Amino acid sequence: MVTKTLESAGENLNLTVYSSNCLEELSLAMFRLESSIEALPSKTKDARAWMSSALLCHYDCLNNFKYVNDTAEIHNLMSFFENLGKITSNALSVVRSLDLFGTDTGKWAAPKTERDGFFEPIKSTELDFPTKFPADLKIDATVSKDGKGYKTVEEAISAAPSNLTGKKYVINIKEGVYDEMVRVPLEKKNIVFIGDGIGKTIITGNLTVGPVGVFTYNTPTVAVAGDGFMAKDITFKNTAGIPTLQAVAFRSHSDKSYIENCEFIGNQDTLHAHGLRQFYKSCKIQGHIDFIFGNAAAYFKDCEIFISPRLEKREKGEKNAVTAHGRTDSGQSTGFVFNNCTITGTAEYKKLCESNPKVHLNYLGRPWKDFSRIVFIKSYLDSIIAPAGYLEWDGNQSLNTLYYGEFENKGPGSDLKGRVSWSSKIPPQQVPTFSIKNFIQGDEWLPKS
C-alpha cells in the first residue's frame, strides 16, 4: 500500500524523485530488518548495525517529505513514516540491550550515551588493528579508455554477478578520466574497484542540488549499496561549481566496506558516509562545508583531510565544518572516528587563513542531528582549526546529547583549553571504545596485514 501511495504521490504531485528515493531506501530498510531478525540472538553486533541502518532509511523518508506541499496525502505518508520510525527505534533499543547486557533484562534501560557517562563494554583494549588491502586479488573485469575491456565502469558493474558470496569480483579501472554516474546496487555484493593510482584513475561528475528534482541523495558521482565493497588507488570527484551547494563525490551504504589510498574531491558534502560500517585507510578527502557527513559507523585511519576555499568569496567571513554526523537515535551504533589523521587545509586555503585568520574559521564538526558522534584520536590538527573546535548547528540544538571526543591529538589546533563546553576529553581507559575492533568489529571482516 505504501509503495502505491508513493508512486501516486510522485505522479500527482510532481514528486517523482522524492518518491523514488524513498522507495529505494525502504527496500534497503526492509533488507536490513530481515537480516537483523536472522542474525539474532547470536550476532547482536550485526543486528544492531543493520537495524541502525533501517532506522536511518525510515528517518530519511520522513525527512524528505517535510519539504513538500502539505496535502492530506503527504500528511498521511509522514504520519506513517513517523510511526514506523518509532517502532524501529523501540526494536533497536531492545537489540542494543541484548548486545550490551545479553538476556539480563534487569540491566535493560533507556539508552544512555557517553554524555551520560556511559561507555559501551570493551571487547579488546587494543587501539590499533593492522590491516592491508589484499595483494593477491584476481582481476575479473577491466575498464579501459583504449577499448581493451569495458568502456565504462557502469558496464562492468552490470556484467558482474549478483549476490556473490565467498569471494570478491574485482574490476580493474585503468588510467583515465571516466565521466559517468556510477551505481553499485544492493544486489551487487563484494565488488572491488582497483585503479592505477590517485590522480590517474578518475571517476568524475558534476551533479549538484539546485535544479528541479535534484536532491543531495541523487548527486553522488559514485554511490554504493552492495555490501563488502572495496576500492583502492582511485580519485572520486564532483566538480560542480557555483553556486556551491550539496554535490557528493562518493556515497556509501555498504556494510563492511574497505577503501584504501583513494581520493575524494568536492566542495560541499564531498563524502557521504550514509550508513553501516565503513573503513577508510590512507585516503585523502577534500571539501569545505560538512564535507564528511552521514550516519555511518565510519573509521578513518591515517587519512589526510583538506579544507579548501569556498568557490564564492565571502567578504564578511566564513565558517566551515569538516564533519556533520547525523545520528538521530542514541541506540544507533554509528559515529565518525579519526585515528592518526591529519586535519589541515589545501596550500591555497592555508594562505587565505594566514592572511586573515579572523575571516576564515574552521571547525572539526557540527551536530547535524541530536546524537551526533565524532571522535579524534592521536591526530594532527593544523592551526586553521578554531580554538573552539566545534560549531553549533542551530542555537542549542543537540548540544546536550551529542558526543565530540578528543584524545592525545597534536598540532597547533589541538589545544583543548579553548574548546566549547559541550565537547569532551576521552578518558584514557575508554579510548579503546573507539578502536577498529570495538567500534566497527573490524577484526571480524577487515583483511589483516
Side-chain angles (χ1 to χ4, degrees):
M1 186 180 76
V2 176
T3 300
K4 291 182 178 178
T5 304
L6 285 169
E7 290 172 346
S8 174
E11 180 181 352
N12 297 334
L13 303 173
N14 197 26
L15 304 176
T16 305
V17 177
Y18 270 129
S19 302
S20 176
N21 291 349
C22 187
L23 285 170
E24 180 177 328
E25 293 214 55
L26 280 178
S27 66
L28 293 176
M30 181 66 73
F31 173 73
R32 299 303 176 187
L33 286 172
E34 290 174 349
S35 300
S36 299
I37 294 170
E38 293 173 1
L40 293 172
S42 58
K43 297 181 178 180
T44 55
K45 293 290 185 187
D46 286 341
R48 188 176 169 197
W50 297 333
M51 196 164 286
S52 296
S53 166
L55 181 58
L56 159 66
C57 294
H58 292 158
Y59 178 87
D60 282 354
C61 277
L62 172 63
N63 194 55
N64 278 346
F65 287 101
K66 287 181 179 179
Y67 302 100
V68 300
N69 297 330
D70 188 16
T71 63
E73 195 171 31
I74 294 301
H75 179 76
N76 289 337
L77 276 174
M78 290 181 65
S79 295
F80 170 81
F81 288 123
E82 187 171 7
N83 291 330
L84 185 61
K86 289 178 180 177
I87 294 170
T88 308
S89 176
N90 290 337
L92 176 60
S93 180
V94 173
V95 172
R96 178 183 184 270
S97 295
L98 280 171
D99 179 32
L100 301 183
F101 310 119
T103 56
D104 186 356
T105 56
K107 294 183 178 180
W108 290 16
K112 293 184 178 181
T113 71
E114 296 88 353
R115 286 300 292 277
D116 305 308
F118 177 81
F119 289 82
E120 298 194 2
I122 296 170
K123 180 179 72 171
S124 169
T125 57
E126 213 177 346
L127 178 59
D128 214 343
F129 178 75
T131 63
K132 186 176 182 180
F133 204 93
D136 57 349
L137 292 173
K138 175 180 175 293
I139 303 298
D140 295 293
T142 299
V143 181
S144 176
K145 305 298 289 188
D146 61 9
K148 297 179 181 178
Y150 294 102
K151 294 181 179 179
T152 68
V153 181
E154 272 287 279
E155 288 178 356
I157 294 169
S158 297
S162 295
N163 299 309
L164 185 65
T165 59
K167 69 178 296 291
K168 298 291 185 180
Y169 187 85
V170 182
I171 302 173
N172 182 206
I173 309 173
K174 294 294 187 179
E175 182 174 351
V177 178
Y178 300 86
D179 189 353
E180 56 177 304
M181 303 286 283
V182 176
R183 299 293 180 263
V184 181
L186 182 63
E187 67 273 14
K188 299 291 184 175
K189 296 177 173 61
N190 291 311
I191 297 292
V192 181
F193 288 177
I194 297 180
D196 281 348
I198 286 177
K200 294 181 179 179
T201 297
I202 302 170
I203 307 176
T204 186
N206 63 358
L207 190 60
T208 180
V209 168
V212 174
V214 178
F215 310 101
T216 306
Y217 188 82
N218 308 109
T219 63
T221 300
V222 176
V224 181
D227 289 346
F229 177 79
M230 298 177 70
K232 185 181 181 183
D233 298 336
I234 298 174
T235 293
F236 301 95
K237 296 178 71 173
N238 190 315
T239 60
I242 297 175
T244 306
L245 298 171
Q246 295 90 340
V248 178
F250 184 86
R251 183 186 79 225
S252 177
H253 201 99
S254 168
D255 195 27
K256 301 179 181 179
S257 60
Y258 177 22
I259 298 175
E260 182 175 315
N261 196 43
C262 285
E263 182 179 47
F264 306 87
I265 298 177
N267 293 305
Q268 182 174 352
D269 290 6
T270 301
L271 174 58
H272 189 181
H274 188 222
L276 297 162
R277 291 164 289 190
Q278 308 177 22
F279 183 70
Y280 297 84
K281 181 182 178 183
S282 303
C283 291
K284 298 180 179 181
I285 309 165
Q286 178 179 313
H288 58 233
I289 306 173
D290 305 334
F291 62 96
I292 303 174
F293 75 110
N295 192 10
Y299 206 101
F300 300 86
K301 181 74 168 62
D302 304 333
C303 291
E304 296 179 272
I305 318 296
F306 297 96
I307 304 171
S308 59
R310 293 197 188 191
L311 299 182
E312 305 98 331
K313 304 302 179 183
R314 301 197 174 196
E315 296 180 0
K316 295 183 179 180
E318 63 182 39
K319 294 182 178 181
N320 296 320
V322 172
T323 66
H325 191 256
R327 187 167 65 148
T328 60
D329 189 289
S330 58
Q332 289 176 311
S333 54
T334 59
F336 293 161
V337 177
F338 296 84
N339 182 357
N340 196 42
C341 293
T342 297
I343 318 298
T344 185
T346 62
E348 179 186 3
Y349 189 62
K350 288 188 70 173
K351 288 182 180 179
L352 288 175
C353 292
E354 291 168 1
S355 65
N356 197 340
K358 293 183 179 180
V359 170
H360 302 281
L361 298 176
N362 303 283
Y363 301 85
L364 297 172
R366 59 176 183 156
W368 185 22
K369 303 299 177 187
D370 284 347
F371 294 93
S372 179
R373 179 162 58 175
I374 312 166
V375 169
F376 291 86
I377 298 172
K378 296 185 177 182
S379 293
Y380 179 86
L381 310 181
D382 208 342
S383 58
I384 64 173
I385 301 299
Y390 305 91
L391 180 67
E392 300 88 348
W393 185 277
D394 184 13
N396 292 324
Q397 172 189 313
S398 312
L399 301 190
N400 293 323
T401 50
L402 60 77
Y403 185 72
Y404 290 166
E406 296 182 54
F407 180 78
E408 290 189 355
N409 294 315
K410 55 189 177 181
S414 66
D415 192 342
L416 299 180
K417 293 178 182 178
R419 289 293 192 259
V420 292
S421 60
W422 35 272
S423 66
S424 304
K425 181 179 180 180
I426 306 172
Q429 69 274 19
Q430 299 299 343
V431 174
T433 302
F434 306 104
S435 72
I436 296 172
K437 288 185 177 182
N438 292 317
F439 197 69
I440 58 172
Q441 298 79 59
D443 57 317
E444 298 177 8
W445 57 274
L446 282 171
K448 299 175 178 63
S449 63

